[in-house]
Amino acid sequence: MSPSDNLRILLASRPEGRPTPQNFRLEQAAIPAISDGQVLLRTLYLSLDPYMRGRMSAAKSYAAPTEIGQVMEGGTVAEVLESRDPAFRPGDIVLSYSGWQSYAAAGGAQLRKLDPAQAPVTTALGVLGMPGFTAYAGLLTIGQPKPGETVVVAAASGPVGSAVGQIARIKGARAVGIAGGPEKCAFVRDTFGLDAVIDHRDPEMASQLAAACPNGVDVYFENVGGHVWDAVFPLLNTFARIPVCGLIAQYNATGDFPGPDRLPVLMRQVLSKSLTIRGFIQREFAAQAPKFREEMARWIAEGAVKYKEDIVDGLENAPEAFIGLLEGRNFGKLIVKL
């Protein structure tokens, strides 16, 4: 490899609304040198996730934005090429946070070794990684589904939603998924095994969801917002729990939202139905991560949890793939193979 073999994708400008390819800049850079306590990583796989849209914005959030000219952030699976940390040696495969680039220097404390013999390493970015943990911690800690209850989850073909639905069934609840298009709906029903699936693109989506939830909704795992929330909201039972991990329908919105102020209606229902609505970031539950990895690995081995990955070849294709993610064009956990 030459000193300039590090292909990187930087944030070129902040998007106004929907990101465009012009918001990204592809460049060749020097492969970084490492110092004591660091390792040199070669990225094998890059995770693309909806939260990255927030990092592209300068708006105040739970995490600092990516600065213009910086490498786009992202979780990665990487191979150790050189090591100045005794805990790692060349050839080790690790979970890292190297971002959208081919090579990176990282401190050993920031890495977790992966065992390719235990599970495909890509699962560390999906069902056995942050998305799976988001589903696990949010559903079980906030949603707390009980046997016989009804759990509804949007984006049910995606890495978070599919895990939510399957974990709900493991816990004895009835799982109703919402997905986009006949192909995704069929996969959620036939492969992930949810009890009912509704196509959010169908004009009769709201009435179909009501028919699929004759006893109302006890847990709604919110990761979309928009018209899906509008359909679920009237069905919420007294004491319903709503974990909120994302609002992808709103990520590209700019300015004030159109329409009347519906907050008074929401708050009246929060009060009259004793609703629990809690937003969360998965790292708040970091202490649960070891138990999550143990339980999820067992569920996968037993066939109780299945997963789907959508792998794109080439780092140069990451921007277009990411734009598609925000529009629902991916089918499964979106990963870039370098």
Side-chain angles (χ1 to χ4, degrees):
M1 59 187 180
S2 73
S4 61
D5 274 344
N6 189 16
L7 184 65
R8 313 194 305 173
I9 296 181
L10 315 180
L11 179 63
S13 60
R14 302 205 183 279
E16 291 292 331
R18 176 184 180 273
T20 68
Q22 289 69 41
N23 296 130
F24 305 90
R25 184 170 82 248
L26 189 70
E27 72 168 24
Q28 295 284 150
I31 294 174
I34 59 173
S35 55
D36 289 343
Q38 289 189 315
V39 300
L40 176 64
L41 301 175
R42 179 174 69 88
T43 305
L44 303 177
Y45 298 97
L46 165 68
S47 177
L48 297 181
D49 300 282
Y51 77 83
M52 296 171 177
R53 175 61 182 84
R55 298 290 198 277
M56 298 176 75
S57 170
K60 186 176 181 180
S61 184
Y62 62 88
T66 301
E67 297 298 331
I68 302 296
Q70 283 188 342
V71 175
M72 287 287 295
E73 298 181 30
T76 55
V77 167
E79 178 187 4
V80 175
L81 295 184
E82 300 175 23
S83 176
R84 295 180 66 176
D85 181 327
F88 298 90
R89 60 184 182 182
D92 284 344
I93 306 299
V94 299
L95 176 66
S96 59
Y97 200 71
S98 304
W100 298 27
Q101 57 183 340
S102 304
Y103 297 88
Q110 305 166 7
L111 309 175
R112 178 166 65 86
K113 283 186 184 180
L114 301 176
D115 182 358
Q118 187 178 61
V121 293
T122 51
T123 60
L125 301 174
V127 67
L128 281 169
M130 182 272 289
F133 183 54
T134 298
Y136 176 95
L139 179 64
L140 299 184
T141 306
I142 302 171
Q144 299 181 17
K146 300 174 181 61
E149 289 191 326
T150 296
V151 175
V152 173
V153 60
S157 66
V160 176
S162 61
V164 167
Q166 292 175 92
I167 295 171
R169 296 202 74 230
I170 290 170
K171 298 301 179 180
R174 184 169 180 272
V176 178
I178 301 172
E183 182 184 8
K184 290 182 179 180
C185 288
F187 197 90
V188 170
R189 181 184 61 250
D190 300 338
T191 301
F192 296 143
L194 272 61
D195 296 284
V197 189
I198 307 300
D199 187 345
H200 71 75
R201 298 176 182 170
D202 193 304
E204 303 300 320
M205 187 265 287
S207 61
Q208 292 173 1
L209 181 63
C213 302
N215 298 318
V217 175
D218 301 293
V219 181
Y220 173 51
F221 195 101
E222 174 64 286
N223 53 8
V224 171
H227 77 287
V228 174
W229 165 258
D230 293 339
V232 174
F233 180 59
L235 307 178
L236 295 172
N237 288 333
T238 300
F239 304 118
R241 290 84 68 194
I242 304 101
V244 182
C245 79
L247 296 165
I248 194 169
Q250 301 174 15
Y251 286 170
N252 290 333
T254 58
D256 295 332
F257 290 96
D261 178 8
R262 291 183 289 178
L263 182 61
V265 175
L266 170 62
M267 294 308 293
R268 185 170 66 243
Q269 293 293 82
V270 168
L271 175 60
S272 63
K273 289 187 175 180
S274 299
L275 303 178
T276 297
I277 303 177
R278 182 184 163 186
F280 73 99
I281 309 302
Q282 50 85 25
R283 66 188 183 201
E284 298 166 16
F285 305 114
Q288 300 179 26
K291 183 179 179 182
F292 153 72
R293 287 193 288 268
E294 176 187 343
E295 288 201 303
M296 185 62 86
R298 185 178 75 251
W299 292 336
I300 293 171
E302 294 171 349
V305 170
K306 297 179 173 64
Y307 63 93
K308 179 173 173 54
E309 296 175 333
D310 187 344
I311 297 182
V312 173
D313 284 319
L315 182 61
E316 67 278 7
N317 295 315
E320 191 59 42
F322 176 68
I323 292 168
L325 169 70
L326 297 176
E327 298 175 348
R329 297 204 304 260
N330 63 298
F331 190 177
K333 175 69 193 84
L334 188 58
I335 296 171
V336 178
K337 180 180 180 180
L338 276 67

